[in-house]
Amino acid sequence: MFLSQITRKSFLLICFFFLLWYIINSFYYEQEELLLSDKNEGTLTEIHPTSPPTSSSNTSLTTIIDNNNNKNPLEELNKKFCGRPTCKFLFAYSIMEQETKANMHFRSFSQLAEQLNRIMILTNVGFSKIDTCNKFPFDFYYNTDLLQKEFPNIIFKSENDFIFWLKERDQIKMTLNNNNNKNIIPPLSILHTSIQSHKNDTNYYNAEINFDKNKCISKFEPLMNLEDPNNSRVNYTKMFVKSADLRRGRVKFSKLLTEVLTIDEEILLVNGRVLYPLFPEIMPVIPYNDYILNEAQRLKDKLSSSYIGIHWRLESSIPELLPECVQGLIKTLNKVIKEEGIENIYLATDYPLLSSRSQSSSFKEVTKYHHDAIRTLNETFKINTWVSLGGLKQLRKNKQYNIEMNGSGIQGILDKLVCINSNYFISGPKGCARVSSFTKSIADKRNDRIKNNDHSLLNVINRWQL
């Protein structure tokens, strides 16, 4: 029993000393952590901005500026976003043509961006336009990976990427300028210019403030405000281009264009209203998004082994002539069916297919002559369209694409691709149909394929007779 009591006393003593040791050490480490905390108070960790390819206009900003180093934070942002200390953009924010010509003009402006060593903004698309007023990103229509391969020396950024850069720059500006009570980061430097076809001689000159201001530019406010001198220093110019200079003198004109637009401004805002390419080399058509290509292939497969493609743009036709026009088309179709043995027919048209409105924003008046002509055609043959074949079904189910589906947007590209792939292609004569660049682009592509020995195509284009 005595030994047992000793053992218990020893155990209690050991516990007492261990508890005392623990209290002393805890106090010491707590004081040490407080000291370290005091030393580190006010030290900021720099988190570098990134530019995610799908950054949106409401991107949350997490950049924390470290003012204790000697680096210029704006230069650091530009290096990460643009690969160089100064970002210089070319933003062709409005191209006043429908998709076929807009596609060509965007390639011209990309060539200009390459000559000027500027980042090219991928302008939004929609309703058969390349225009910042539209809400869909550039890759809704186009394959940006293949575009990059066509222009390997250009950095391309989306509109959302551009907004991200504006936000980051604005945050740096507010932080540094407010802390130092002086303008370390200056306002945005911008040249706003318009390039327009004109009947007179080519001329480049200073323009009045806020000329031709596109209302959709306001969507970049307050980050880019052309009317606030504290936000943006803006110069305005215009270039009138004689059409003959673009038809026959593009080498000389492109040198002039590059020379006058070699400027120091960060942002070159351009709206374009020209008829012809700006550079002598005409780049290949911007490739379309894989989703549209796959849809075109699916419709082709639905049409079986062979089909006749028709492009009938009723806009600008003479309504009273349409009864005669449709009979001429029927006669031509019967002839092709008999001689070539092709029975399937695909119709690409601006006639209303999903609503009472035409598929083209510029085709306003659909008359009884138009309705009667299409009715007669449908009563004579089984006519297939992108709607009857279930084209773009997933987009049509989504309400955000309603306006696009009822206009001349993505389905116009689909029609173009299906007609390019048709075994036989026909279009209307003057008076019955509008002779358009859309039809020409189909014929040009078919001509290239026939030259490359594509024996599935039986003709380039035929126009039916009245």
Side-chain angles (χ1 to χ4, degrees), residues 55-262:
S55 57
S56 64
S57 59
N58 60 354
T59 304
S60 59
L61 301 177
T62 57
T63 304
I64 301 174
I65 310 289
D66 183 356
N67 293 328
N68 294 325
N69 61 33
N70 294 321
K71 294 181 179 178
N72 181 317
L74 179 56
E75 287 188 1
E76 292 303 302
L77 166 66
N78 291 340
K79 286 177 184 176
K80 292 183 182 301
F81 190 84
C82 307
R84 48 202 181 216
T86 301
C87 282
K88 288 189 174 183
F89 301 96
L90 192 158
F91 187 3
Y93 67 86
S94 180
I95 300 174
M96 302 299 289
E97 293 284 357
Q98 293 197 6
E99 194 279 325
T100 298
K101 284 189 176 179
N103 188 309
M104 175 185 70
H105 294 318
F106 192 86
R107 287 174 266 150
S108 282
F109 285 118
S110 295
Q111 288 172 287
L112 179 60
E114 184 172 25
Q115 291 296 315
L116 299 175
N117 195 24
R118 285 182 173 268
I119 291 169
M120 183 70 182
I121 300 298
L122 297 171
T123 311
N124 280 3
V125 300
F127 224 58
S128 192
K129 297 284 184 68
I130 301 176
D131 192 300
T132 194
C133 287
N134 294 299
K135 63 181 180 179
F136 302 116
F138 190 83
D139 59 7
F140 181 61
Y141 282 0
Y142 303 110
N143 187 320
T144 54
D145 292 334
L146 294 180
L147 174 65
Q148 184 68 75
K149 289 182 179 179
E150 292 289 344
F151 294 97
N153 299 322
I154 300 178
I155 297 173
F156 291 98
K157 297 286 185 181
S158 70
E159 282 199 16
N160 283 339
D161 292 330
F162 181 57
I163 290 171
F164 180 87
W165 178 81
L166 288 172
K167 282 187 173 181
E168 290 285 341
R169 187 190 188 282
D170 192 61
Q171 180 181 335
I172 292 171
K173 177 184 172 184
M174 287 190 299
T175 301
L176 292 186
N177 291 2
N178 288 343
N179 287 348
N180 293 276
N181 296 317
K182 57 182 180 179
N183 292 330
I184 293 178
I185 306 298
L188 289 165
S189 56
I190 299 172
L191 176 65
H192 187 195
T193 191
S194 178
I195 303 174
Q196 302 180 20
S197 292
H198 203 266
K199 61 183 178 180
N200 297 326
D201 290 340
T202 296
N203 189 21
Y204 181 71
Y205 60 94
N206 292 329
E208 66 275 16
I209 294 175
N210 286 334
F211 76 97
D212 294 346
K213 184 182 178 185
N214 188 305
K215 62 182 180 180
C216 299
I217 288 292
S218 62
K219 77 181 186 180
F220 297 101
E221 295 175 358
L223 300 170
M224 184 177 72
N225 187 336
L226 304 188
E227 297 180 1
D228 179 5
N230 293 318
N231 174 271
S232 306
R233 289 199 299 253
V234 190
N235 293 318
Y236 296 89
T237 61
K238 276 189 179 181
M239 173 169 274
F240 284 147
V241 187
K242 190 174 183 178
S243 294
D245 289 341
L246 292 182
R247 289 199 305 269
R248 298 187 293 271
R250 283 201 289 268
V251 172
K252 183 178 179 181
F253 170 77
S254 61
K255 289 181 179 178
L256 171 65
L257 182 66
T258 303
E259 180 182 335
V260 298
L261 293 180
T262 299

Side-chain angles (χ1 to χ4, degrees), residues 342-391:
I342 305 172
E343 294 187 358
N344 293 309
I345 299 170
Y346 182 87
L347 174 65
T349 181
D350 55 356
Y351 181 80
L353 296 178
L354 287 177
S355 69
S356 60
R357 296 189 309 174
S358 75
Q359 292 290 130
S360 171
S361 58
S362 55
F363 182 15
K364 303 293 185 183
E365 296 184 23
V366 182
T367 69
K368 76 178 193 67
Y369 293 103
H370 299 101
H371 293 308
D372 289 344
I374 295 299
R375 186 183 302 111
T376 299
L377 185 63
N378 272 313
E379 289 172 350
T380 309
F381 303 100
K382 179 185 177 182
I383 301 296
N384 299 285
T385 66
W386 71 275
V387 175
S388 68
L389 294 173

Side-chain angles (χ1 to χ4, degrees), residues 258-270:
T258 303
E259 180 182 335
V260 298
L261 293 180
T262 299
I263 54 174
D264 291 329
E265 279 84 351
E266 293 168 286
I267 301 168
L268 174 56
L269 285 176
V270 183

